[in-house]
Coordinates of all heavy atoms in Angstrom, one line a residue:
S27 N 22.6 29.5 -22.8 CA 21.8 29.4 -21.4 C 20.4 29.0 -21.8 O 19.8 29.7 -22.7 CB 21.9 30.7 -20.8 OG 20.9 30.7 -19.6
L28 N 19.8 28.1 -21.2 CA 18.3 27.7 -21.3 C 17.4 28.7 -20.6 O 16.3 28.7 -20.9 CB 18.2 26.3 -20.7 CG 19.0 25.2 -21.7 CD1 18.7 23.9 -20.9 CD2 18.5 25.2 -23.1
N29 N 17.8 29.5 -19.7 CA 16.9 30.2 -19.0 C 15.8 29.5 -18.3 O 14.6 29.9 -18.5 CB 16.6 31.5 -19.8 CG 15.9 32.6 -18.9 OD1 16.1 32.7 -17.8 ND2 15.1 33.3 -19.5
A30 N 16.1 28.4 -17.6 CA 15.0 27.6 -17.2 C 15.2 27.5 -15.5 O 16.3 27.7 -15.1 CB 15.2 26.1 -17.7
D31 N 14.1 27.3 -14.9 CA 14.1 27.1 -13.5 C 14.8 25.7 -13.0 O 15.4 25.8 -11.9 CB 12.6 27.1 -13.0 CG 12.0 28.5 -13.1 OD1 12.7 29.4 -13.2 OD2 10.7 28.4 -13.3
R32 N 14.8 24.7 -13.8 CA 15.4 23.4 -13.5 C 15.8 22.8 -14.8 O 15.0 22.7 -15.8 CB 14.3 22.6 -12.7 CG 14.9 21.2 -12.4 CD 13.9 20.2 -12.0 NE 12.9 20.7 -11.1 CZ 12.9 20.8 -9.7 NH1 14.1 20.2 -9.2 NH2 12.0 21.2 -8.9
V33 N 17.0 22.2 -14.7 CA 17.6 21.5 -15.8 C 18.1 20.2 -15.2 O 18.8 20.2 -14.3 CB 18.7 22.2 -16.6 CG1 19.3 21.3 -17.8 CG2 18.2 23.5 -17.2
V34 N 17.6 19.1 -15.8 CA 18.2 17.8 -15.1 C 18.7 17.0 -16.3 O 18.3 17.0 -17.4 CB 17.1 17.1 -14.5 CG1 16.6 18.0 -13.3 CG2 16.0 16.6 -15.2
I35 N 19.6 16.0 -15.9 CA 19.9 14.9 -16.7 C 19.3 13.6 -15.9 O 19.8 13.3 -14.9 CB 21.4 14.9 -17.0 CG1 21.9 15.9 -17.8 CG2 21.7 13.5 -17.7 CD1 23.4 16.0 -18.0
Y36 N 18.5 12.9 -16.7 CA 17.8 11.8 -16.1 C 18.3 10.6 -16.8 O 18.3 10.5 -18.0 CB 16.2 11.9 -16.4 CG 15.4 10.7 -15.9 CD1 15.1 10.6 -14.6 CD2 15.0 9.8 -16.7 CE1 14.3 9.6 -14.1 CE2 14.2 8.7 -16.5 CZ 13.9 8.6 -15.1 OH 13.2 7.7 -14.7
R37 N 18.7 9.5 -16.0 CA 19.3 8.3 -16.5 C 18.2 7.2 -16.3 O 17.8 7.0 -15.1 CB 20.7 8.0 -15.8 CG 21.3 6.7 -16.5 CD 22.5 6.4 -15.8 NE 22.2 6.1 -14.4 CZ 23.0 5.7 -13.5 NH1 24.4 5.7 -13.7 NH2 22.7 5.6 -12.1
F38 N 18.1 6.3 -17.3 CA 17.1 5.3 -17.2 C 18.0 4.1 -16.5 O 19.1 3.9 -16.7 CB 16.7 4.7 -18.5 CG 15.6 5.6 -19.1 CD1 16.1 6.3 -20.2 CD2 14.3 5.8 -18.6 CE1 15.2 7.2 -20.8 CE2 13.5 6.6 -19.2 CZ 13.9 7.3 -20.4
D39 N 17.2 3.4 -15.5 CA 17.8 2.2 -15.0 C 17.9 1.1 -16.1 O 16.7 0.8 -16.6 CB 17.0 1.8 -13.8 CG 17.5 0.5 -13.2 OD1 18.3 -0.2 -13.7 OD2 17.1 0.2 -12.1
P40 N 19.0 0.6 -16.5 CA 19.0 -0.2 -17.6 C 18.2 -1.6 -17.4 O 17.8 -2.4 -18.3 CB 20.5 -0.6 -17.9 CG 21.1 0.0 -16.7 CD 20.2 0.9 -16.0
E41 N 18.0 -1.9 -16.2 CA 17.3 -3.1 -15.8 C 15.8 -3.0 -15.9 O 15.0 -4.0 -15.8 CB 17.7 -3.7 -14.4 CG 19.3 -3.8 -14.3 CD 19.8 -4.9 -15.3 OE1 19.1 -5.9 -15.4 OE2 20.8 -4.7 -15.8
S42 N 15.3 -1.8 -15.8 CA 13.9 -1.6 -15.7 C 13.1 -1.6 -17.0 O 11.9 -1.3 -17.0 CB 13.6 -0.3 -14.8 OG 13.8 0.8 -15.5
E43 N 13.8 -1.4 -18.1 CA 13.1 -1.1 -19.4 C 12.4 0.1 -19.4 O 11.2 0.1 -19.9 CB 12.3 -2.5 -19.7 CG 13.1 -3.6 -19.9 CD 12.3 -4.8 -20.5 OE1 11.3 -4.6 -21.1 OE2 12.7 -6.0 -20.2
F44 N 12.9 1.2 -19.0 CA 12.3 2.5 -19.0 C 11.3 2.8 -17.9 O 10.7 3.8 -18.0 CB 11.8 2.9 -20.4 CG 12.8 2.7 -21.5 CD1 12.6 1.7 -22.5 CD2 13.9 3.5 -21.5 CE1 13.6 1.6 -23.4 CE2 14.9 3.4 -22.5 CZ 14.6 2.5 -23.5
D45 N 11.0 2.0 -16.9 CA 10.1 2.3 -16.0 C 10.6 3.0 -14.7 O 9.9 3.6 -14.1 CB 9.6 0.8 -15.3 CG 8.5 0.2 -16.3 OD1 8.0 0.9 -17.0 OD2 8.5 -1.0 -16.2
E46 N 12.0 2.9 -14.5 CA 12.6 3.7 -13.4 C 13.9 4.3 -13.9 O 14.4 3.9 -14.9 CB 13.0 2.6 -12.4 CG 11.8 2.0 -11.7 CD 12.1 1.1 -10.6 OE1 13.4 1.0 -10.2 OE2 11.3 0.4 -10.0
G47 N 14.3 5.2 -13.1 CA 15.5 6.0 -13.3 C 15.7 6.9 -12.3 O 15.0 6.9 -11.3
E48 N 16.8 7.7 -12.5 CA 17.1 8.6 -11.5 C 17.8 10.0 -12.0 O 18.3 9.9 -13.3 CB 18.1 8.1 -10.6 CG 19.4 7.7 -11.0 CD 20.4 7.1 -10.0 OE1 20.2 7.4 -8.9 OE2 21.2 6.3 -10.5
I49 N 17.6 11.1 -11.4 CA 18.2 12.3 -11.9 C 19.6 12.2 -11.5 O 20.0 12.1 -10.2 CB 17.5 13.5 -11.3 CG1 16.1 13.5 -11.8 CG2 18.2 14.8 -11.6 CD1 15.2 14.5 -11.3
V50 N 20.6 12.4 -12.5 CA 22.0 12.2 -12.1 C 22.7 13.6 -12.1 O 23.8 13.7 -11.5 CB 22.8 11.2 -13.0 CG1 22.2 9.8 -12.8 CG2 22.6 11.6 -14.5
S51 N 22.1 14.6 -12.5 CA 22.7 15.9 -12.6 C 21.5 16.9 -12.6 O 20.4 16.5 -13.3 CB 23.6 16.1 -13.6 OG 24.3 17.4 -13.7
E52 N 21.6 18.1 -11.8 CA 20.5 19.0 -11.9 C 21.1 20.4 -11.5 O 22.0 20.6 -10.9 CB 19.6 18.6 -10.7 CG 18.5 19.7 -10.4 CD 17.6 19.3 -9.1 OE1 18.2 19.0 -8.1 OE2 16.4 19.3 -9.4
D53 N 20.5 21.5 -12.2 CA 20.8 22.8 -12.0 C 19.4 23.3 -11.7 O 18.5 23.3 -12.5 CB 21.4 23.6 -13.0 CG 21.8 24.9 -12.7 OD1 21.8 25.2 -11.7 OD2 21.9 25.7 -13.7
V54 N 19.1 24.0 -10.5 CA 17.7 24.4 -10.1 C 17.9 25.7 -9.4 O 18.7 26.0 -8.5 CB 17.0 23.3 -9.3 CG1 17.7 23.0 -8.0 CG2 15.5 23.7 -9.2
V55 N 16.9 26.5 -9.6 CA 16.9 27.8 -9.0 C 16.5 27.6 -7.4 O 15.8 26.5 -7.1 CB 15.9 28.8 -9.5 CG1 16.3 29.3 -10.9 CG2 14.4 28.4 -9.6
S56 N 16.9 28.4 -6.6 CA 16.7 28.3 -5.1 C 15.3 28.2 -4.7 O 15.0 27.5 -3.6 CB 17.4 29.4 -4.4 OG 16.8 30.6 -4.6
E57 N 14.3 28.7 -5.4 CA 12.9 28.5 -5.0 C 12.3 27.2 -5.1 O 11.2 26.9 -4.6 CB 12.0 29.5 -5.7 CG 12.4 31.1 -5.8 CD 13.4 31.4 -6.8 OE1 13.1 31.3 -8.0 OE2 14.5 31.7 -6.4
F58 N 12.9 26.3 -5.9 CA 12.3 25.0 -6.1 C 13.2 23.9 -5.3 O 14.3 24.1 -5.0 CB 12.5 24.7 -7.5 CG 11.5 25.4 -8.4 CD1 11.9 26.6 -8.9 CD2 10.4 25.0 -8.8 CE1 11.1 27.4 -9.7 CE2 9.4 25.7 -9.6 CZ 9.8 26.9 -10.1
T59 N 12.4 22.9 -4.9 CA 12.9 21.8 -4.2 C 13.9 21.0 -5.2 O 13.4 20.6 -6.4 CB 11.9 20.9 -3.7 OG1 11.0 21.6 -2.9 CG2 12.5 19.8 -2.9
S60 N 15.1 20.6 -4.8 CA 15.9 19.8 -5.6 C 15.3 18.3 -5.7 O 14.8 17.8 -4.9 CB 17.2 19.6 -4.9 OG 18.0 18.7 -5.6
A61 N 15.5 17.8 -6.9 CA 15.0 16.5 -7.3 C 16.3 15.5 -7.5 O 15.9 14.4 -7.7 CB 14.2 16.6 -8.6
L62 N 17.3 15.9 -7.1 CA 18.5 15.1 -7.3 C 18.5 13.9 -6.7 O 19.0 12.9 -7.2 CB 19.8 15.9 -7.0 CG 21.1 15.4 -7.5 CD1 21.1 15.1 -9.0 CD2 22.1 16.4 -7.1
T63 N 17.9 13.7 -5.4 CA 17.8 12.4 -4.7 C 16.7 11.6 -5.0 O 16.7 10.6 -4.4 CB 17.9 12.8 -3.2 OG1 16.8 13.6 -2.8 CG2 19.2 13.6 -2.8
L64 N 15.8 11.9 -5.8 CA 14.6 11.3 -6.1 C 14.9 10.1 -7.0 O 15.6 10.2 -8.1 CB 13.5 12.1 -6.7 CG 12.9 13.2 -5.8 CD1 11.9 14.0 -6.7 CD2 12.3 12.8 -4.6
K65 N 14.3 9.0 -6.7 CA 14.2 7.8 -7.6 C 12.9 7.8 -8.2 O 11.9 7.9 -7.4 CB 14.4 6.5 -6.7 CG 14.6 5.3 -7.6 CD 16.0 5.2 -8.1 CE 16.3 3.8 -8.6 NZ 17.5 3.6 -9.2
I66 N 12.8 7.9 -9.5 CA 11.5 8.2 -10.2 C 11.1 7.0 -10.9 O 11.9 6.2 -11.6 CB 11.8 9.3 -11.1 CG1 12.0 10.5 -10.4 CG2 10.5 9.4 -12.1 CD1 12.4 11.8 -11.4
Q67 N 9.9 6.7 -10.6 CA 9.2 5.5 -11.3 C 8.1 6.1 -12.1 O 7.1 6.7 -11.5 CB 8.6 4.5 -10.3 CG 8.1 3.3 -11.1 CD 7.8 2.1 -10.1 OE1 7.9 2.3 -8.9 NE2 7.5 0.9 -10.7
D68 N 8.2 5.9 -13.5 CA 7.3 6.6 -14.3 C 6.7 5.5 -15.2 O 7.2 5.1 -16.3 CB 7.8 7.6 -15.2 CG 6.8 8.4 -16.1 OD1 5.7 8.1 -16.1 OD2 7.2 9.3 -16.8
N69 N 5.5 4.8 -14.8 CA 5.1 3.7 -15.5 C 4.4 4.0 -16.9 O 4.4 3.1 -17.7 CB 4.1 2.8 -14.6 CG 4.8 2.2 -13.5 OD1 5.9 1.9 -13.5 ND2 4.1 2.3 -12.3
C70 N 4.0 5.3 -17.0 CA 3.3 5.6 -18.3 C 4.4 6.0 -19.4 O 3.9 6.2 -20.5 CB 2.3 6.6 -18.1 SG 2.7 8.2 -17.4
F71 N 5.6 6.3 -19.0 CA 6.6 6.7 -19.9 C 6.8 5.7 -21.1 O 6.7 5.9 -22.3 CB 7.9 7.1 -19.3 CG 9.0 7.5 -20.3 CD1 9.2 8.7 -20.8 CD2 9.8 6.4 -20.7 CE1 10.0 9.0 -21.7 CE2 10.8 6.8 -21.8 CZ 10.9 8.0 -22.2
K72 N 7.0 4.4 -20.6 CA 7.3 3.3 -21.6 C 6.1 3.1 -22.6 O 6.4 3.0 -23.6 CB 7.7 2.1 -20.9 CG 7.9 0.9 -21.7 CD 8.4 -0.3 -21.0 CE 7.5 -0.9 -20.0 NZ 8.0 -2.1 -19.3
K73 N 5.0 3.3 -22.1 CA 3.7 3.0 -22.8 C 3.7 4.0 -24.1 O 3.2 3.6 -25.2 CB 2.5 3.1 -22.0 CG 2.4 1.9 -21.0 CD 1.2 2.1 -20.1 CE 1.2 1.1 -18.9 NZ 0.3 1.5 -17.9
K74 N 3.9 5.2 -23.9 CA 3.7 6.3 -24.8 C 4.9 7.0 -25.3 O 4.8 7.3 -26.6 CB 2.8 7.3 -24.2 CG 2.2 8.4 -25.2 CD 1.1 9.1 -24.7 CE 0.6 10.1 -25.8 NZ -0.6 10.9 -25.3
Y75 N 6.0 7.1 -24.6 CA 6.9 8.0 -25.0 C 8.3 7.4 -25.4 O 9.1 7.8 -26.1 CB 7.2 9.0 -23.9 CG 6.0 9.9 -23.6 CD1 5.3 9.7 -22.5 CD2 5.5 10.8 -24.4 CE1 4.1 10.3 -22.2 CE2 4.4 11.6 -24.2 CZ 3.6 11.3 -23.1 OH 2.5 12.0 -22.8
A76 N 8.6 6.3 -24.7 CA 9.9 5.6 -25.0 C 10.3 5.4 -26.4 O 11.4 5.6 -26.8 CB 10.0 4.3 -24.1
A77 N 9.4 4.9 -27.1 CA 9.7 4.7 -28.7 C 9.9 6.0 -29.5 O 10.9 6.1 -30.2 CB 8.5 3.9 -29.4
L78 N 9.2 7.0 -29.0 CA 9.6 8.3 -29.7 C 10.9 8.8 -29.3 O 11.7 9.3 -30.2 CB 8.5 9.4 -29.2 CG 7.0 9.1 -29.6 CD1 6.1 10.1 -28.9 CD2 6.9 9.2 -31.1
Y79 N 11.4 8.8 -28.0 CA 12.7 9.2 -27.7 C 13.8 8.3 -28.2 O 14.9 8.9 -28.5 CB 12.8 9.4 -26.2 CG 12.0 10.6 -25.7 CD1 10.9 10.4 -24.8 CD2 12.2 11.8 -26.2 CE1 10.1 11.4 -24.4 CE2 11.5 12.9 -25.7 CZ 10.4 12.7 -24.9 OH 9.7 13.8 -24.5
R80 N 13.5 7.0 -28.4 CA 14.5 6.2 -29.0 C 14.8 6.7 -30.4 O 15.9 6.5 -30.9 CB 14.0 4.8 -29.1 CG 14.4 4.0 -27.9 CD 14.1 2.5 -28.1 NE 13.3 2.1 -26.9 CZ 12.1 1.5 -26.9 NH1 11.6 1.1 -28.2 NH2 11.6 1.0 -25.8
Q81 N 13.8 7.3 -31.1 CA 14.1 7.8 -32.4 C 14.6 9.2 -32.6 O 14.6 9.9 -33.5 CB 12.7 7.7 -33.1 CG 12.2 6.3 -33.3 CD 10.6 6.4 -33.9 OE1 10.1 7.5 -34.1 NE2 10.0 5.2 -33.9
G82 N 14.9 9.7 -31.3 CA 15.5 11.1 -31.3 C 14.5 12.2 -31.2 O 14.7 13.3 -31.3
S83 N 13.3 12.0 -30.8 CA 12.2 12.9 -30.6 C 12.5 14.0 -29.7 O 13.1 13.7 -28.5 CB 10.9 12.3 -30.3 OG 9.8 13.2 -30.1
V84 N 12.1 15.2 -29.8 CA 12.2 16.3 -28.9 C 10.8 16.7 -28.6 O 9.9 16.8 -29.5 CB 12.9 17.5 -29.5 CG1 12.9 18.8 -28.6 CG2 14.4 17.1 -29.8
H85 N 10.5 16.9 -27.4 CA 9.1 17.1 -26.9 C 9.1 18.5 -26.2 O 9.7 18.5 -25.1 CB 8.6 15.9 -26.0 CG 7.2 15.8 -25.9 ND1 6.6 14.8 -25.1 CD2 6.2 16.5 -26.3 CE1 5.4 15.1 -25.3 NE2 5.1 16.0 -25.9
A86 N 8.3 19.4 -26.6 CA 8.1 20.7 -25.8 C 6.7 20.8 -25.5 O 5.8 20.7 -26.3 CB 8.5 21.7 -26.8
I87 N 6.4 21.1 -24.2 CA 5.2 21.4 -23.7 C 5.2 22.7 -22.9 O 5.8 23.0 -22.0 CB 4.9 20.3 -22.7 CG1 4.9 18.9 -23.3 CG2 3.5 20.4 -22.2 CD1 4.9 17.7 -22.4
A88 N 4.2 23.5 -23.5 CA 4.1 24.9 -22.8 C 3.3 24.8 -21.5 O 3.6 25.7 -20.5 CB 3.4 25.8 -23.9
D89 N 2.4 23.9 -21.3 CA 1.6 23.8 -20.2 C 1.1 22.4 -19.9 O 0.3 21.9 -20.7 CB 0.3 24.8 -20.3 CG -0.6 24.7 -19.0 OD1 -0.3 24.0 -18.1 OD2 -1.4 25.6 -18.9
I90 N 1.7 21.6 -19.0 CA 1.4 20.2 -18.8 C -0.1 20.0 -18.6 O -0.6 19.0 -18.9 CB 2.2 19.7 -17.7 CG1 1.9 20.2 -16.4 CG2 3.7 19.8 -18.1 CD1 2.5 19.4 -15.2
H91 N -0.8 20.9 -18.1 CA -2.2 20.8 -17.6 C -3.2 21.0 -19.0 O -4.3 20.7 -18.8 CB -2.6 21.7 -16.5 CG -1.9 21.3 -15.2 ND1 -2.2 20.2 -14.5 CD2 -0.7 22.0 -14.6 CE1 -1.3 20.1 -13.5 NE2 -0.5 21.2 -13.5
N92 N -2.6 21.5 -19.9 CA -3.4 21.7 -21.1 C -2.9 21.0 -22.4 O -3.0 21.6 -23.5 CB -3.6 23.3 -21.4 CG -4.6 23.9 -20.4 OD1 -5.6 23.4 -20.0 ND2 -4.0 24.9 -19.7
A93 N -2.2 20.0 -22.3 CA -1.3 19.4 -23.3 C -1.9 18.0 -23.7 O -1.2 17.3 -24.4 CB 0.2 19.4 -23.0
N94 N -3.0 17.6 -23.1 CA -3.5 16.3 -23.4 C -2.6 15.1 -23.0 O -2.4 14.2 -23.8 CB -4.1 16.2 -24.9 CG -5.1 15.0 -25.0 OD1 -5.8 14.8 -24.1 ND2 -5.2 14.6 -26.2
L95 N -1.9 15.2 -22.0 CA -0.9 14.2 -21.5 C -1.7 13.3 -20.7 O -2.8 13.5 -20.1 CB 0.1 14.8 -20.5 CG 1.0 15.9 -21.3 CD1 2.0 16.5 -20.3 CD2 1.9 15.2 -22.4
N96 N -1.2 12.0 -20.6 CA -1.7 11.0 -19.7 C -1.7 11.5 -18.3 O -0.6 12.3 -17.8 CB -0.9 9.7 -19.7 CG -1.1 9.0 -20.9 OD1 -1.9 9.2 -21.8 ND2 -0.2 8.0 -21.1
S97 N -2.7 11.3 -17.5 CA -2.7 11.8 -16.0 C -1.6 11.4 -15.2 O -1.2 12.1 -14.4 CB -4.0 11.5 -15.4 OG -4.3 10.1 -15.3
C98 N -1.1 10.1 -15.4 CA 0.1 9.7 -14.6 C 1.3 10.5 -14.9 O 2.1 10.6 -14.1 CB 0.1 8.2 -14.9 SG 0.5 7.6 -16.5
Y99 N 1.5 10.8 -16.0 CA 2.6 11.6 -16.5 C 2.5 13.0 -15.9 O 3.4 13.5 -15.3 CB 2.6 11.8 -18.1 CG 4.0 12.3 -18.6 CD1 5.2 11.9 -18.0 CD2 4.0 13.3 -19.5 CE1 6.4 12.4 -18.5 CE2 5.2 13.9 -20.0 CZ 6.3 13.5 -19.6 OH 7.5 14.0 -20.0
V100 N 1.3 13.6 -15.8 CA 1.0 14.9 -15.3 C 1.4 14.8 -13.9 O 2.0 15.7 -13.2 CB -0.3 15.5 -15.5 CG1 -0.6 16.7 -14.8 CG2 -0.5 15.7 -17.0
Q101 N 0.9 13.8 -13.1 CA 1.1 13.7 -11.8 C 2.7 13.6 -11.4 O 3.2 14.1 -10.5 CB 0.5 12.4 -11.1 CG -1.0 12.6 -11.1 CD -1.8 11.2 -10.7 OE1 -1.1 10.1 -10.7 NE2 -3.0 11.3 -10.4
M102 N 3.4 12.9 -12.3 CA 4.8 12.9 -12.0 C 5.5 14.1 -12.2 O 6.3 14.4 -11.5 CB 5.4 11.8 -13.0 CG 6.9 11.3 -12.7 SD 8.1 12.4 -13.4 CE 7.7 12.2 -15.2
L103 N 5.1 14.9 -13.3 CA 5.6 16.2 -13.4 C 5.3 17.1 -12.4 O 6.1 18.0 -12.0 CB 5.2 16.7 -14.9 CG 5.6 16.0 -16.1 CD1 5.0 16.5 -17.4 CD2 7.2 16.0 -16.2
D104 N 4.0 17.1 -11.8 CA 3.7 18.0 -10.8 C 4.6 17.8 -9.5 O 4.8 18.7 -8.8 CB 2.2 17.7 -10.4 CG 1.2 18.5 -11.2 OD1 1.6 19.6 -11.7 OD2 0.0 18.1 -11.3
Q105 N 4.9 16.4 -9.3 CA 5.8 16.2 -8.1 C 7.1 17.0 -8.4 O 7.6 17.3 -7.2 CB 6.1 14.8 -8.0 CG 5.1 13.8 -7.6 CD 5.7 12.3 -7.7 OE1 6.7 12.1 -7.0 NE2 5.1 11.4 -8.3
L106 N 7.5 17.2 -9.4 CA 8.7 17.9 -9.7 C 8.5 19.4 -9.9 O 9.4 20.1 -10.3 CB 9.5 17.4 -10.9 CG 9.9 15.9 -10.8 CD1 10.4 15.4 -12.1 CD2 10.9 15.6 -9.6
Q107 N 7.4 19.9 -9.7 CA 7.0 21.4 -9.7 C 7.1 21.8 -11.2 O 7.4 23.0 -11.4 CB 7.8 22.2 -8.8 CG 7.6 21.9 -7.3 CD 8.7 22.4 -6.6 OE1 9.9 22.2 -6.6 NE2 8.3 23.3 -5.6
I108 N 6.9 21.0 -12.1 CA 7.1 21.2 -13.6 C 5.7 21.7 -14.1 O 4.7 20.9 -14.1 CB 7.5 20.0 -14.4 CG1 9.0 19.8 -13.8 CG2 7.5 20.4 -15.8 CD1 9.5 18.3 -14.4
Q109 N 5.8 22.8 -14.8 CA 4.6 23.5 -15.4 C 4.7 23.4 -17.0 O 3.7 23.2 -17.6 CB 4.2 24.9 -15.0 CG 4.1 24.9 -13.5 CD 3.8 26.3 -13.0 OE1 3.9 27.3 -13.8 NE2 3.6 26.5 -11.7
A110 N 6.0 23.5 -17.4 CA 6.3 23.5 -18.8 C 7.5 22.8 -18.9 O 8.3 22.7 -18.1 CB 6.3 24.9 -19.5
N111 N 7.7 22.0 -20.1 CA 9.0 21.3 -20.2 C 9.5 21.2 -21.6 O 8.7 21.2 -22.5 CB 9.0 20.1 -19.5 CG 8.3 18.9 -20.1 OD1 7.6 19.1 -21.0 ND2 8.4 17.7 -19.4
L112 N 10.8 20.8 -21.8 CA 11.5 20.7 -23.0 C 12.2 19.3 -22.8 O 13.1 19.3 -21.9 CB 12.3 21.7 -23.5 CG 13.3 21.4 -24.7 CD1 12.3 21.2 -26.0 CD2 14.2 22.6 -25.0
V113 N 12.1 18.3 -23.5 CA 12.7 17.0 -23.3 C 13.4 16.5 -24.5 O 12.8 16.5 -25.7 CB 11.7 15.8 -22.9 CG1 12.5 14.6 -22.6 CG2 10.8 16.3 -21.7
V114 N 14.7 16.2 -24.3 CA 15.6 15.8 -25.4 C 16.1 14.6 -25.0 O 16.7 14.3 -24.0 CB 16.7 16.9 -25.7 CG1 17.6 16.4 -26.9 CG2 16.1 18.1 -26.0
S115 N 16.2 13.5 -25.9 CA 16.8 12.2 -25.7 C 18.3 12.2 -25.6 O 18.9 13.1 -26.3 CB 16.3 11.2 -26.6 OG 16.7 11.5 -28.0
I116 N 18.9 11.4 -24.8 CA 20.3 11.2 -24.8 C 20.6 9.8 -25.1 O 20.1 8.9 -24.4 CB 20.8 11.5 -23.3 CG1 20.5 13.0 -22.9 CG2 22.3 11.3 -23.3 CD1 20.9 13.3 -21.5
A117 N 21.4 9.5 -26.1 CA 21.7 8.1 -26.6 C 23.1 7.9 -26.3 O 24.1 8.8 -26.2 CB 21.4 8.1 -28.0
K118 N 23.3 6.6 -26.0 CA 24.6 6.1 -25.8 C 24.7 4.8 -26.5 O 24.0 3.9 -26.2 CB 24.9 5.8 -24.3 CG 26.3 5.4 -24.0 CD 26.6 5.3 -22.5 CE 28.0 4.7 -22.1 NZ 28.2 4.6 -20.8
A119 N 25.8 4.7 -27.4 CA 25.8 3.5 -28.3 C 24.6 3.1 -29.0 O 24.1 2.0 -29.0 CB 26.5 2.3 -27.4
D120 N 24.0 4.1 -29.5 CA 22.7 3.8 -30.2 C 21.5 3.4 -29.4 O 20.5 2.9 -29.9 CB 22.8 2.9 -31.5 CG 23.8 3.5 -32.5 OD1 23.7 4.9 -32.5 OD2 24.4 2.8 -33.2
K121 N 21.6 3.5 -28.0 CA 20.6 3.1 -27.2 C 20.1 4.5 -26.3 O 20.8 5.2 -26.1 CB 20.9 2.0 -26.2 CG 21.3 0.7 -27.0 CD 21.4 -0.4 -26.0 CE 21.6 -1.7 -26.8 NZ 21.5 -3.0 -26.1
L122 N 18.8 4.5 -26.0 CA 18.3 5.5 -25.2 C 18.8 5.3 -23.9 O 18.6 4.4 -23.1 CB 16.8 5.4 -25.1 CG 16.1 6.6 -24.4 CD1 16.5 7.9 -25.0 CD2 14.5 6.4 -24.4
W123 N 19.7 6.3 -23.4 CA 20.4 6.2 -22.1 C 19.7 7.0 -21.0 O 19.5 6.7 -19.9 CB 21.8 6.7 -22.3 CG 22.6 6.8 -21.0 CD1 23.4 5.9 -20.5 CD2 22.7 8.0 -20.1 NE1 23.9 6.3 -19.4 CE2 23.5 7.6 -19.1 CE3 22.2 9.2 -20.1 CZ2 23.9 8.5 -18.0 CZ3 22.4 10.0 -19.0 CH2 23.3 9.6 -18.0
G124 N 19.1 8.2 -21.5 CA 18.4 9.0 -20.6 C 17.7 10.3 -21.3 O 17.6 10.2 -22.5
L125 N 17.5 11.4 -20.6 CA 16.8 12.5 -21.0 C 17.4 13.8 -20.4 O 17.8 13.7 -19.2 CB 15.3 12.4 -20.7 CG 14.4 11.2 -21.2 CD1 13.1 11.3 -20.5 CD2 14.4 11.2 -22.6
L126 N 17.3 14.8 -21.2 CA 17.7 16.3 -20.8 C 16.5 17.0 -20.6 O 15.5 16.9 -21.5 CB 18.6 16.9 -21.7 CG 19.0 18.3 -21.5 CD1 19.8 18.4 -20.2 CD2 19.6 19.1 -22.6

């Protein structure tokens, strides 16, 4: 068990080159708003993080507001009520398919 408030599987739109995607599976505690129906556009992901996740990087952040993240990334995480996160890449046929 991850003992997390929210766990999602996020799939990249293969046509957008990592600019867009959607949450395809979610487990969330009742106090939080579900993000399952959101179409997410994250323009700063590709610039800073896509290459790292393609290499299998794992990213752990204890506090998004004190982690020296790009402001556009913090704004996107705030929309999802995220204060801390752990991100693991999901590969399919040696390509970055999505994120956990």
Side-chain angles (χ1 to χ4, degrees):
S27 170
L28 291 175
N29 194 25
D31 294 332
R32 180 190 315 268
V33 177
V34 302
I35 295 178
Y36 176 83
R37 181 186 62 179
F38 292 107
D39 179 345
E41 304 298 319
S42 75
E43 296 185 28
F44 305 112
D45 285 333
E46 293 181 6
E48 63 184 329
I49 295 172
V50 295
S51 182
E52 175 184 51
D53 185 22
V54 62
V55 295
S56 60
E57 301 89 66
F58 290 88
T59 304
S60 175
L62 195 54
T63 60
L64 294 179
K65 189 81 163 168
I66 298 172
Q67 186 169 8
D68 182 5
N69 297 325
C70 61
F71 176 85
K72 179 169 63 174
K73 295 174 189 167
K74 187 168 183 179
Y75 303 104
L78 295 172
Y79 288 119
R80 271 192 228 125
Q81 297 169 2
S83 178
V84 173
H85 200 176
I87 301 169
D89 180 351
I90 67 166
H91 296 285
N92 292 307
N94 199 27
L95 299 173
N96 291 348
S97 63
C98 61
Y99 190 50
V100 172
Q101 288 173 351
M102 191 271 304
L103 294 173
D104 272 338
Q105 284 181 55
L106 300 172
Q107 300 166 296
I108 296 171
Q109 296 175 2
N111 72 353
L112 172 66
V113 181
V114 179
S115 59
I116 301 171
K118 181 178 180 183
D120 295 330
K121 294 190 178 197
L122 183 60
W123 179 89
L125 303 170
L126 171 70

